[in-house]
């Protein structure tokens, strides 16, 4: 299908309210993210009801802002794409309803975007790799809510090779950080603390390391951190360093196996908030080098939740002639392998 104009993307599945306008070729005309972190920090995690209310109050202004910055009116758009799952249902209803309303009022096609597909397609955005990443590639999605290895074989064609049996990797960082007395969300604070520590002074387990397949498990590591802290055997910074070293080693080991399960992959792609961690990036870069593949780590603002990736997923779907009906209901749970592939 020919795209007749720019696409508006809307993200509201967790605690980032975001809007972006992309030209039909994927050029970013305007983008904006409002992070609600401060609203939730004092509760030590995302409070769904607060998040939904914050999306409702911030989204209209954010959308107006990006439309103005991009210099487009709703009539100029070629379509509207809004995250419709998986995520917190309140926020999904706010974003999807807003997107549908705009599309309906302006006679535009609507795309109900799967948030995981949006992360998965990000490396195809023009400008990150010459010509965009070509299918197939291996995606490691490492965030606070998701932790999986996915073979991205084509638009709408995803094979989940492995996932976490308990906590997501970002969640593990946050829980370990909390045990170390750091603020939420703890990943970045833990990374900073780890720089002052010596991992060899607080040996921690490496769950799943060396096992077949590419599943993850982090709850045992979290328990080990809790015990190390309560016994006071090592300095907090040493425990932080050991935790990070252990996670980086496990992620690399899982990525190595996942690459073997995804023959033909043209790149190793890492996304999600934990992709910001330099130890994790460094160990993945070694894995990619050994496999003779490029490691694609999008800039952090495109790794964490954003609307550029949602607009881009919308563009890929619209180009393939895929749109969604007005009665498409947001889905709190929506596995990647339940997507409609391109014909
Ligand atoms: O992708 P994201 O922004 O949100 C979702 O979870 O969807 O990821 C946030 C997660 C949090 O758990 C945060 O602690 C973690 O990513 N994170 C980090 C770092 N920066 C963010 N973890 C380790 N090191 C970092 N530098
Ligand atoms: Zn996400």
């Amino acid at each position: 299908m020919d795209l007749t104009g720019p696409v508006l993307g809307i993200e509201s599945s967790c605690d980032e309210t975001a809007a972006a306008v992309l030209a039909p070729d994927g050029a970013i005309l305007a983008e904006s993210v409002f992070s609600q972190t401060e609203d939730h920090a004092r509760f030590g995690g995302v409070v769904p009801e607060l998040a939904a209310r914050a999306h409702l109050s911030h989204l209209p202004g954010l959308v107006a802002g990006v439309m103005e910055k991009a210099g487009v009116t709703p009539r100029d758009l070629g379509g509207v794409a809004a995250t419709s799952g998986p995520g917190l249902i309140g926020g999904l209803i706010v974003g999807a309803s807003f997107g549908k309303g705009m599309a309906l009022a302006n006679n535009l096609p609507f795309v109900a975007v799967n948030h995981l597909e949006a992360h998965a397609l990000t490396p195809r955005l023009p400008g990150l790799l010459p010509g965009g990443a070509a299918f197939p590639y291996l995606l490691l999605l490492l965030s606070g809510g998701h932790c999986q290895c996915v073979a991205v074989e084509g638009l709408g064609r995803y094979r989940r090779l492995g996932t976490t049996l308990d906590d997501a990797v970002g969640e593990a960082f946050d829980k370990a950080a909390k045990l170390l007395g750091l603020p939420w969300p703890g990943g970045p604070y833990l990374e900073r603390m780890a720089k002052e520590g010596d991992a060899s002074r607080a040996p921690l387990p490496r769950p799943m390391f060396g096992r077949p397949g590419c599943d993850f498990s982090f709850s045992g590591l979290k328990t080990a951190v809790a015990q190390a802290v309560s016994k006071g055997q090592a300095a907090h910074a040493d425990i932080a360093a050991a935790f990070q070293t252990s996670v980086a080693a496990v992620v690399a080991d899982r990525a190595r196996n996942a690459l073997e399960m995804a023959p033909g992959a043209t790149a190793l792609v890492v996304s999600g908030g934990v992709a910001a961690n330099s130890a994790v990036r460094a160990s993945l870069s070694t894995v990619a080098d050994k496999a003779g593949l490029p490691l694609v780590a999008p800039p952090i603002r495109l790794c964490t939740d954003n609307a550029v990736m949602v607009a881009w997923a919308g563009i890929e779907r619209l180009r393939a002639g895929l749109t969604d009906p007005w009665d498409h209901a947001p889905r709190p749970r929506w596995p990647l392998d339940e997507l409609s592939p391109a014909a």
Side-chain angles (χ1 to χ4, degrees):
M1 189 167 104
D2 271 351
L3 249 182
T4 55
V7 170
L8 169 69
I10 292 171
E11 163 60 36
S12 60
S13 65
C14 190
D15 63 339
E16 265 86 30
T17 319
V21 179
L22 267 59
D25 66 358
I28 301 169
L29 303 180
E31 61 176 309
S32 183
V33 180
F34 173 79
S35 171
Q36 305 172 10
T37 304
E38 272 180 27
D39 299 342
H40 302 287
R42 62 200 165 106
F43 301 104
V46 179
V47 183
E49 181 60 26
L50 284 184
R53 286 164 192 255
H55 288 305
L56 196 55
S57 55
H58 294 290
L59 188 59
L62 276 179
V63 169
V66 292
M67 296 287 288
E68 192 187 331
K69 187 159 176 239
V72 296
T73 68
R75 281 159 197 278
D76 303 325
L77 291 174
V80 179
T83 300
S84 299
L88 300 172
I89 188 64
L92 293 173
I93 289 174
V94 171
S97 310
F98 191 96
K100 280 180 197 167
M102 264 190 82
L104 193 56
N106 297 284
N107 202 16
L108 302 168
F110 173 73
V111 184
V113 171
N114 178 297
H115 180 88
L116 303 174
E117 175 172 62
H119 276 299
L121 296 176
T122 300
R124 290 171 53 76
L125 261 172
L128 294 182
L129 271 187
F135 297 126
Y137 50 87
L138 178 72
L139 169 77
L140 257 68
L141 184 50
L142 305 174
S143 76
H146 305 285
C147 187
Q148 32 187 275
C149 302
V150 181
V152 180
E153 295 172 342
L155 180 64
R157 290 174 43 220
Y158 312 100
R159 208 154 45 87
R160 196 175 80 182
L161 305 173
T163 186
T164 182
L165 306 177
D166 37 62
D167 294 345
V169 59
E171 197 180 351
F173 264 100
D174 295 343
K175 287 178 175 171
K178 189 175 177 193
L179 291 164
L180 293 166
L182 296 167
W184 179 88
Y189 295 99
L190 191 149
E191 177 168 19
R192 229 167 292 153
M193 184 182 247
K195 288 202 175 77
E196 314 296 323
D198 176 352
S200 69
R201 292 210 199 113
L204 290 176
R206 299 182 170 182
M208 306 303 272
F209 191 99
R211 296 247 200 119
C214 59
D215 284 336
F216 299 84
S217 167
F218 291 106
S219 70
L221 181 55
K222 177 194 63 192
T223 307
V225 169
Q227 282 169 349
V229 170
S230 73
K231 287 185 192 151
Q233 295 154 321
H236 280 189
D238 295 339
I239 299 171
F243 172 86
Q244 186 173 267
T245 303
S246 173
V247 171
V250 167
V251 169
D253 177 71
R254 308 288 78 194
R256 249 185 319 265
N257 285 0
L259 276 175
E260 277 173 21
M261 295 160 79
T266 60
L268 173 59
V269 176
V270 58
S271 189
V274 180
N277 186 279
S278 40
V280 169
R281 278 196 189 215
S283 66
L284 285 177
S285 141
T286 309
V287 173
D289 279 353
K290 282 207 178 118
L293 296 176
L295 174 70
V296 186
I300 301 305
R301 67 173 219 289
L302 298 178
C303 278
T304 52
D305 288 349
N306 66 87
V308 170
M309 67 177 189
V310 179
W312 174 250
I315 289 174
E316 293 240 38
R317 290 202 152 253
L318 288 166
R319 278 186 188 158
L322 298 166
T323 62
D324 292 286
W326 305 120
D327 64 354
H328 184 283
R331 295 182 58 175
R333 294 179 56 84
W334 188 4
L336 262 183
D337 45 17
E338 287 179 19
L339 286 182
S340 49

